[in-house]
Amino acid sequence: MSCVIHGFLPDSLMTVLLVPVVKDKAGKVGSSDNYRPIVLANTLSKVIEAILLSRFCNLIGSTENQFGFKSIHGTDLYIFALKELVSKYKSKNSTVFMCFLDASKAFNWVNHKKLFQKLCDAHVPKYIVRCLSYCTVQICALFDTYYCVFQMEHPHLTLLHRENFIWSLSSFTLLEPYISVLDGDPLQEVVKSVIHQYKISVLPKHPSFRKCINHGDFNDLNILVQPCESDGYRISGILDFGNLNSGYYIYELAITVTYMMIEHPRPIEVGGPVLAGWESVLPLNEAEKECLYVLVLSRFCQSLVIARYAVTLNPENREYLMTTSKKGVHILHQLWELGKEHVEKVWFQSAAQFSDGK
């Protein structure tokens, strides 16, 4: 299956039946904490799991002290061994000390990225690791847990390391030579101030950002949608990969917020629902949260300044090139005047309300 080679499985194979099983029948059956979610996979996905396992089972092993989740083993064997051990020492009038640990919600706290790295270190084929990573992301989303996506690998990935690419937020400071196109425009001072804020508040936090491949131009003109059963629409495709580059997840979020603001009658409010949707899949870390406001400002500046410069080169395309500017200038001024504290309060409080209402 080519999908396995590319590290994903079709939705039909990921369809599961989620069954809640009571942990303690004597406990509170009305409490969600007293239930353990059990996933029942479909037959075809189980067959694929068996095939994948057969490909690398000889590359991995476990300690002889592990009894659970292991072929031809079981916890009953360990209980028997434990009883025999206790009996042996008691027969010699020796004291036996035992410690039992029960990790609460252990699955939620497993560092899956390290587990996948161990598989790579054990020389498990990368396509299998990618496929397992994809499945884990879907399962973690099902259980409302957080998982950091496995790092993308490709023999030609370096082609996307586009140093000095003017549309990359990593290259935002390259905008400085172009701001002369704003001479006489009050917007110029705002752009200069945003560049300064980027230098002092965003650049130092780059090491804390999580890397990814950025589409770089996720706006309404580059999205395909199709009707869905709920009388609404769902995204069915994305266009225009000309700005594809190596960057950070937070860049993609900032770019999305920027362009969604342009389309909304109350642009400042847009950040909340977009942020809530994003964090339902990939929660931001503290450094990313701290920089989101400045990165949105930075994207507005990029779009407005580069558009002005492009018009000087191609005045006949002015109407198209200035599409973002029609509303973008006002929104940028509004964001700057409201300030970081106020805007972040609106975004993060709104996002929290969406999350609480899930």
Side-chain angles (χ1 to χ4, degrees):
M1 296 174 65
S2 61
C3 59
V4 174
I5 299 298
H6 291 287
F8 81 99
L9 293 175
D11 290 343
S12 58
L13 292 181
M14 296 302 298
T15 302
V16 298
L17 177 63
L18 190 62
V19 180
V21 177
V22 178
K23 295 180 182 178
D24 181 8
K25 294 182 179 179
K28 295 181 179 180
V29 293
S31 173
S32 60
D33 291 334
N34 194 30
Y35 286 84
R36 178 180 291 106
I38 302 297
V39 171
L40 302 180
N42 60 60
T43 303
L44 185 55
S45 65
K46 290 181 179 179
V47 172
I48 293 177
E49 286 177 10
I51 294 174
L52 291 177
L53 182 60
S54 68
R55 296 291 182 91
F56 68 88
C57 62
N58 62 314
L59 299 175
I60 58 176
S62 62
T63 172
E64 60 181 14
N65 293 324
Q66 178 182 335
F67 285 79
F69 303 101
K70 192 174 181 181
S71 179
I72 321 178
H73 288 71
T75 53
D76 53 339
L77 291 175
Y78 189 79
I79 293 173
F80 173 76
L82 182 62
K83 286 183 176 180
E84 289 296 306
L85 191 63
V86 172
S87 298
K88 175 182 177 180
Y89 282 96
K90 285 185 67 177
S91 65
K92 297 181 179 181
N93 295 321
S94 178
T95 303
V96 179
F97 296 94
M98 290 184 289
C99 178
F100 295 90
L101 298 177
D102 182 11
S104 176
K105 298 182 179 179
F107 181 83
N108 299 35
W109 301 105
V110 170
N111 189 325
H112 297 95
K113 189 172 183 179
K114 287 188 176 180
L115 291 181
F116 291 134
Q117 186 58 54
K118 285 183 177 292
L119 291 178
C120 291
D121 294 341
H123 305 294
V124 173
K126 292 292 180 66
Y127 76 90
I128 291 181
V129 178
R130 285 196 296 268
C131 193
L132 292 174
S133 172
Y134 177 83
C135 294
T136 303
V137 171
Q138 306 306 313
I139 294 172
C140 286
L142 183 65
F143 290 120
D144 194 27
T145 59
Y146 165 64
Y147 170 68
C148 186
V149 181
F150 191 70
Q151 187 174 357
M152 180 179 179
E153 293 188 18
H154 191 277
H156 303 298
L157 191 61
T158 54
L159 295 177
L160 297 179
H161 296 167
R162 302 169 70 175
E163 189 175 356
N164 298 330
F165 178 48
I166 192 65
W167 280 108
S168 170
L169 280 169
S170 291
S171 304
F172 178 57
T173 55
L174 296 180
L175 206 64
E176 288 181 293
Y178 298 92
I179 59 178
S180 59
V181 297
L182 299 175
D183 285 347
D185 191 326
L187 184 64
Q188 188 180 70
E189 290 305 313
V190 175
V191 174
K192 288 180 178 179
S193 298
V194 174
I195 292 175
H196 175 69
Q197 287 298 316
Y198 178 92
K199 289 178 179 179
I200 64 174
S201 63
V202 176
L203 283 180
K205 290 187 171 61
H206 273 177
S208 299
F209 294 166
R210 289 165 293 177
K211 296 180 180 180
C212 74
I213 302 302
N214 290 140
H215 175 271
D217 197 17
F218 192 69
N219 63 69
D220 60 303
L221 298 177
N222 290 333
I223 300 173
L224 298 177
V225 298
Q226 66 180 32
C228 59
E229 296 177 356
S230 61
D231 296 328
Y233 293 86
R234 69 179 184 88
I235 295 177
S236 59
I238 301 173
L239 304 174
D240 191 356
F241 294 89
N243 286 355
L244 207 65
N245 68 96
S246 179
Y248 303 99
Y249 284 110
I250 187 61
Y251 287 178
E252 203 70 75
L253 175 59
I255 292 169
T256 303
V257 170
T258 299
Y259 290 122
M260 293 303 103
M261 290 178 74
I262 293 173
E263 298 303 316
H264 200 278
R266 297 184 299 278
I268 303 301
E269 299 177 12
V270 168
V274 175
L275 179 59
W278 181 277
E279 291 205 290
S280 69
V281 178
L282 188 68
L284 302 181
N285 62 36
E286 289 305 314
E288 292 164 340
K289 289 181 180 179
E290 181 66 24
C291 294
L292 179 59
Y293 169 76
V294 175
L295 286 170
V296 171
L297 290 175
S298 301
R299 184 57 174 195
F300 268 113
C301 291
Q302 277 184 324
S303 186
L304 299 176
V305 173
I306 295 174
R308 292 279 188 95
Y309 177 73
V311 167
T312 64
L313 301 178
N314 302 284
E316 69 279 5
N317 290 334
R318 179 182 179 84
E319 183 175 354
Y320 168 73
L321 294 171
M322 297 295 285
T323 300
T324 301
S325 297
K326 293 175 182 177
K327 297 180 180 179
V329 173
H330 172 71
I331 297 173
L332 177 57
H333 276 295
Q334 188 180 12
L335 279 171
W336 182 251
E337 291 169 1
L338 288 173
K340 183 174 185 290
E341 183 177 352
H342 177 85
V343 174
E344 284 184 342
K345 183 178 180 180
V346 173
W347 288 351
F348 288 104
Q349 286 187 354
S350 175
Q353 291 174 356
F354 274 92
S355 300
D356 293 341
K358 288 191 296 185

